[in-house]
Amino acid sequence: MYELIDTYKLNGQFRWISSQMNRVRNGELYRVIADSKGAFVQPAVYEAFGLTVVEAMTCGLPTFATCKGGPAEIIVDGKSGYHIDPYHGEQAAEILVDFFEKCKKDPSQWDKISQGGLKRIYEKYTWQIYSERLLTLTGVYGFWKHVSNLDRLESRRYIEMFYALKYNKLAEAVPLAVE
């Protein structure tokens, strides 16, 4: 990559961002890149879900991500971002170059893909949508458990184990009100 940067005189045109663990800083990085009309590229060989893709799109970044796994479902190719095949680097490079050449000729192209990404996120990947789906699945599961003849003792043991391992410590950490 460094050789390509030198060959095509791309120094200062893009940034490598290593894995970031600070969620607040991640959001700030995405915003800085979006404010400078940059793009987010995630060339993973396979991505199970694609949280970084959702985060980048939520910040309005045109996003280029692997066509394998979750990003293939998250991105509508050419409308809310672009699919790239990590096994075909030259083809991926052409997609990126084509996008930025279009943006150079017509700056509204960047905004079009940015808005398409935001629209996709608001249609499919908000916390409200997630919680509604989870509640629906919970209701279906609850009804299924009610009408089935499964051993409820096993479920009770699972819930007690979950409480003991996770929620008990959380409950103990809540400070008591001082009168």
Side-chain angles (χ1 to χ4, degrees), residues 6 11-12 33 76-77 86 89 93-94 101 114 117 141 150 158:
D6 288 339
N11 194 21
I33 296 166
V76 177
D77 192 46
E94 286 175 19
E101 283 181 353
S114 172
Y141 179 73
L150 294 177
Y158 176 78

Side-chain angles (χ1 to χ4, degrees), residues 29-50:
L29 284 170
Y30 292 136
R31 279 302 332 143
V32 167
I33 296 166
D35 290 345
S36 64
K37 301 286 189 189
F40 179 79
V41 181
Q42 191 258 36
V45 172
Y46 179 82
E47 182 71 33
F49 174 66

Side-chain angles (χ1 to χ4, degrees), residues 3-179:
E3 186 177 310
L4 290 172
I5 292 169
D6 288 339
T7 301
Y8 295 102
K9 298 177 179 67
L10 297 172
N11 194 21
Q13 298 297 312
F14 61 92
R15 297 270 187 232
W16 291 104
I17 300 174
S18 64
S19 177
Q20 300 292 314
M21 303 310 275
N22 183 317
R23 291 268 179 227
V24 173
R25 187 171 39 218
N26 287 354
E28 291 172 6
L29 284 170
Y30 292 136
R31 279 302 332 143
V32 167
I33 296 166
D35 290 345
S36 64
K37 301 286 189 189
F40 179 79
V41 181
Q42 191 258 36
V45 172
Y46 179 82
E47 182 71 33
F49 174 66
L51 183 59
T52 58
V53 171
V54 171
E55 290 172 343
M57 290 171 69
T58 299
C59 290
L61 274 169
T63 302
F64 299 78
T66 183
C67 58
K68 313 288 185 200
E73 181 182 323
I74 297 167
I75 294 172
V76 177
D77 192 46
K79 294 185 179 185
S80 63
Y82 296 91
H83 296 144
I84 55 174
D85 189 337
Y87 294 107
H88 297 96
E90 288 192 21
Q91 182 186 38
E94 286 175 19
I95 293 168
L96 282 156
V97 168
D98 182 57
F99 171 74
F100 281 108
E101 283 181 353
K102 285 180 181 175
C103 290
K104 194 173 185 180
K105 290 177 187 167
D106 179 11
S108 70
Q109 178 67 18
W110 190 94
D111 294 324
K112 178 183 163 191
I113 298 300
S114 172
Q115 291 302 313
L118 288 166
K119 183 177 183 234
R120 179 73 173 160
I121 293 300
Y122 293 136
E123 288 174 351
K124 299 283 185 183
Y125 298 100
T126 65
W127 280 112
Q128 181 177 352
I129 293 168
Y130 174 76
S131 62
E132 286 171 0
R133 286 181 184 165
L134 186 61
L135 288 172
T136 299
L137 288 172
T138 303
V140 169
Y141 179 73
F143 178 74
W144 176 75
K145 292 281 286 176
H146 178 72
V147 297
S148 68
N149 290 324
L150 294 177
D151 185 1
R152 303 220 191 291
L153 181 61
E154 290 177 357
S155 298
R156 183 81 181 143
R157 286 183 182 148
Y158 176 78
I159 290 169
E160 288 172 357
M161 177 197 67
F162 191 67
Y163 174 78
L165 292 174
K166 187 73 177 165
Y167 288 110
N168 193 22
K169 292 176 186 170
L170 290 173
E172 289 173 359
V174 174
L176 297 175
V178 178
E179 294 185 25

